[in-house]
Amino acid sequence: MKADSTPTDYVVCATLHGVPDVFNVENLWERARRRQKGEYLMEALSQHLRTRQSRHRPETCFHHVIVRIPTADYDRDEWVDDGFNRAALIRDLVVVHAQKLGRYVPEGETVRYSVEADPALPKGQVRFLFGRAVYLPGDGERPTYRLYRQGEKRTELGVVYPGQRLTLLNGDPYASTFPVPDWPFTAGVSVLLRVKPDQTPTLRAEPNGSLTVRKEGERIFRISDSHAACLDLSIEPPSVRDTDRRVEVPTWTPGGGPPHSKPRLWVVGIALQRPSLHAKAGLRGGRLGFDRHGALVRCQDPSAEAWLRIDDEDRLWGETTGDRMPLSPPTVWHPHEDLSLELGSAPAGMDEHYCGWARLPRPIPLSVPAPFGRWFCVGRDAEAELNPGLLDDPDALIWNGAQAVRPEQLMLSRRHLSLRQDTNGWTVRLESQTWPAYRLAPSGESGQVLSVEDRGREWAIEPGAWLVVGGYLLELG
């Protein structure tokens, strides 16, 4: 069956029908002996080449691909499996693409995939979108322009990244980079934006001449046709405020110093969990190590000079070489003249799982893995987009017998909490089926419990608030 596709290679859409498992890469990639109807992804990529071989350039295939699946499959994976199947499919697609078509990927470029929900798709149907106007940003890549439709209601259409040379706008979600709501022109015409390095963005109709494009100001373009239909498009660089919000920094690793930047997310403290909750599993206590200036280090690191210890009765102790003293939050502990640790008590609602919290003298910036305005998930291991790994110390927990469990694993789900920041602030959504999360005021007072019963519900969270996620005290910048 012929693939569904646009007349040009700006956005190609191929459809596969009768897929028994949309998360199985073998069902999507190539035909083999399968009886599914439509065009498999490898066939589509091979038939719609990025460049054909000539004397002057090699043959290449497109390697940024959006996979759209039925919303019911996407939602079930998100709610039941914390997005595990979606993340696994992306990994599998990247691997098989590199294996089968890696020689057709231009040197220095990266294979990228995303999986999106599509409410228009029936069960068993999958669509693949790729082409010259399909671009997926890399980690830490920040937008260079934001596109808006001007009118009574200003509508953001999408963002353009530094490597995104072409952007196609029309009313078809399967034939555009960004579909324009209430597209005023006929279905056969589009607007094509081209952004070249160090040049002003240029705009034209596609097919060329099918619409009139006129610049109305420094950033506004008016697009019109012969029937007096018109569209005002604004192409704007990120504001100074947005740029500050989107600065990305490398994730801190134990023993390293925090980089100098303005991240959106900080680890400002450690939530002190109750070992007694895990006593039946043999947990007898745990500890945190700090160097002389308050940087978090592993407990057996040679630079460690102070330790916070929690015993099997959930009592808190401060330890230095040759000295030990009980601590009762709220208090400030001064293990050295150069180090003070603020300790707070767990507020009501949180004290069931925690006996307090410790504020870090040197907050740790985290690199947010998603562009401004998109969801990303906080958790542990590779299943979450953001997995801090700061409590991944194998010597921090004390067990009856040998155990391979690390503090990172206690009360932190693989996909625990999703976050999104936009112009209105932060939105949070609990993903864990096992453990809650907590919102605290910056003073450490309780503000809200994000319980498992409300999993999937979205909360608006003001900038500056603290979130307790597993063993981490996060501040939303």
Side-chain angles (χ1 to χ4, degrees):
M1 182 175 177
K2 185 68 176 176
D4 296 333
S5 63
T6 61
T8 72
D9 60 357
Y10 292 122
V11 179
V12 177
C13 179
T15 306
L16 193 59
H17 307 269
V19 181
D21 179 2
V22 299
F23 295 108
N24 186 340
V25 69
E26 295 181 356
N27 293 335
L28 309 181
W29 184 252
E30 58 185 330
R31 187 171 301 277
R33 296 181 179 178
R34 299 174 186 85
R35 299 180 179 179
Q36 298 162 181
K37 296 180 179 180
E39 192 165 17
Y40 288 81
L41 180 54
M42 184 174 176
E43 295 175 1
L45 292 169
S46 300
Q47 291 181 17
H48 302 275
L49 297 175
R50 182 184 183 187
T51 60
R52 297 190 178 276
Q53 188 171 11
S54 68
R55 292 170 52 194
H56 304 290
R57 61 182 179 180
E59 183 174 287
T60 62
C61 290
F62 293 105
H63 50 279
H64 288 202
V65 183
I66 299 171
V67 180
R68 292 188 176 169
I69 64 175
T71 298
D73 293 297
Y74 187 99
D75 287 348
R76 176 174 174 79
D77 176 53
E78 185 71 21
W79 280 78
V80 176
D81 293 310
D82 290 337
F84 173 84
N85 296 300
R86 185 172 73 252
L89 176 59
I90 291 173
R91 290 194 295 269
D92 290 344
L93 285 167
V94 170
V95 169
V96 72
H97 190 122
Q99 291 174 343
K100 300 290 187 177
L101 299 175
R103 65 186 182 276
Y104 300 113
V105 177
E107 185 176 355
E109 297 193 17
T110 306
V111 177
R112 297 173 186 163
Y113 277 81
S114 72
V115 176
E116 300 177 355
D118 190 332
L121 293 184
K123 182 176 178 59
Q125 192 173 104
V126 177
R127 279 187 165 161
F128 311 110
L129 274 69
F130 55 90
R132 299 187 184 279
V134 173
Y135 183 84
L136 299 174
D139 293 341
E141 194 171 350
R142 301 191 298 273
T144 52
Y145 294 99
R146 306 181 80 84
L147 307 183
Y148 297 90
R149 179 177 184 169
Q150 301 292 109
E152 292 183 5
K153 182 179 179 182
R154 177 178 159 98
T155 304
E156 182 172 349
L157 302 176
V159 298
V160 178
Y161 292 91
Q164 188 171 338
R165 184 172 178 272
L166 297 173
T167 301
L168 192 70
L169 302 176
N170 57 49
D172 188 346
Y174 302 113
S176 62
T177 308
F178 311 120
V180 178
D182 301 319
W183 178 249
F185 310 116
T186 60
V189 297
S190 304
V191 175
L192 184 65
L193 170 67
R194 183 176 68 175
V195 178
K196 298 179 72 173
D198 302 320
Q199 293 188 17
T200 303
T202 56
L203 204 66
R204 78 167 204 188
E206 178 62 38
N208 194 17
S210 59
L211 299 170
T212 300
V213 179
R214 185 173 66 252
K215 197 168 184 179
E216 292 288 305
E218 183 181 355
R219 300 172 180 172
I220 304 293
F221 291 83
R222 170 156 290 188
I223 302 104
S224 59
D225 64 9
S226 58
H227 303 289
C230 69
L231 169 69
D232 289 337
L233 181 68
S234 175
I235 305 173
E236 303 179 9
S239 66
V240 173
R241 182 180 179 187
D242 284 349
T243 301
D244 285 344
R245 285 180 174 179
R246 286 192 295 276
V247 169
E248 311 293 350
V249 294
T251 300
W252 180 89
T253 55
H260 300 284
S261 191
K262 295 181 180 179
R264 291 184 265 157
L265 199 63
W266 297 81
V267 176
V268 294
I270 303 300
L272 305 175
Q273 303 175 38
R274 293 184 178 274
S276 61
L277 293 176
H278 311 281
K280 291 183 179 179
L283 182 62
R284 294 168 47 206
R287 57 180 183 165
L288 296 171
F290 300 88
D291 70 9
R292 189 169 188 86
H293 304 289
L296 186 66
V297 296
R298 290 185 171 179
C299 293
Q300 295 189 8
D301 191 283
S303 65
E305 294 194 22
W307 297 265
L308 280 177
R309 182 188 294 273
I310 309 175
D311 64 19
D312 56 356
E313 297 182 9
D314 302 330
R315 295 175 301 190
L316 188 63
W317 301 84
E319 296 181 349
T320 57
T321 303
D323 189 27
R324 182 183 184 190
M325 64 179 296
L327 301 172
S328 298
T331 187
V332 177
W333 178 43
H334 302 278
H336 299 292
E337 61 179 13
D338 297 327
L339 175 59
S340 297
L341 286 176
E342 178 186 352
L343 305 174
S345 56
M350 179 178 154
D351 55 356
E352 177 184 357
H353 297 121
Y354 300 88
C355 57
W357 49 264
R359 187 197 289 263
L360 295 176
R362 298 170 60 183
I364 299 168
L366 296 176
S367 175
V368 175
F372 190 75
R374 295 190 185 179
W375 288 100
F376 64 93
C377 191
V378 181
R380 60 179 170 88
D381 302 328
E383 294 180 23
E385 289 82 7
L386 180 60
N387 40 20
L390 307 180
L391 301 177
D392 211 11
D393 184 351
D395 301 309
L397 298 180
I398 304 166
W399 297 88
N400 288 323
Q403 285 277 4
V405 179
R406 302 149 294 163
E408 188 83 3
Q409 298 171 266
L410 298 182
M411 290 181 59
L412 182 63
S413 296
R414 288 182 171 85
R415 295 182 61 83
H416 198 113
L417 188 82
S418 286
L419 290 168
R420 183 187 69 210
Q421 188 190 23
D422 53 32
T423 54
N424 296 319
W426 288 89
T427 305
V428 61
R429 182 178 66 207
L430 186 69
E431 308 287 356
S432 175
Q433 302 179 68
T434 309
W435 302 107
Y438 303 89
R439 182 189 69 82
L440 304 182
S443 61
E445 298 173 356
S446 180
Q448 196 170 30
V449 179
L450 282 61
S451 64
V452 174
E453 289 75 16
D454 290 325
R455 180 173 175 265
R457 177 185 167 190
E458 295 182 6
W459 282 273
I461 305 291
E462 68 278 7
W466 290 355
L467 283 177
V468 177
V469 184
Y472 295 107
L473 194 61
L474 306 178
E475 182 179 84
L476 305 180

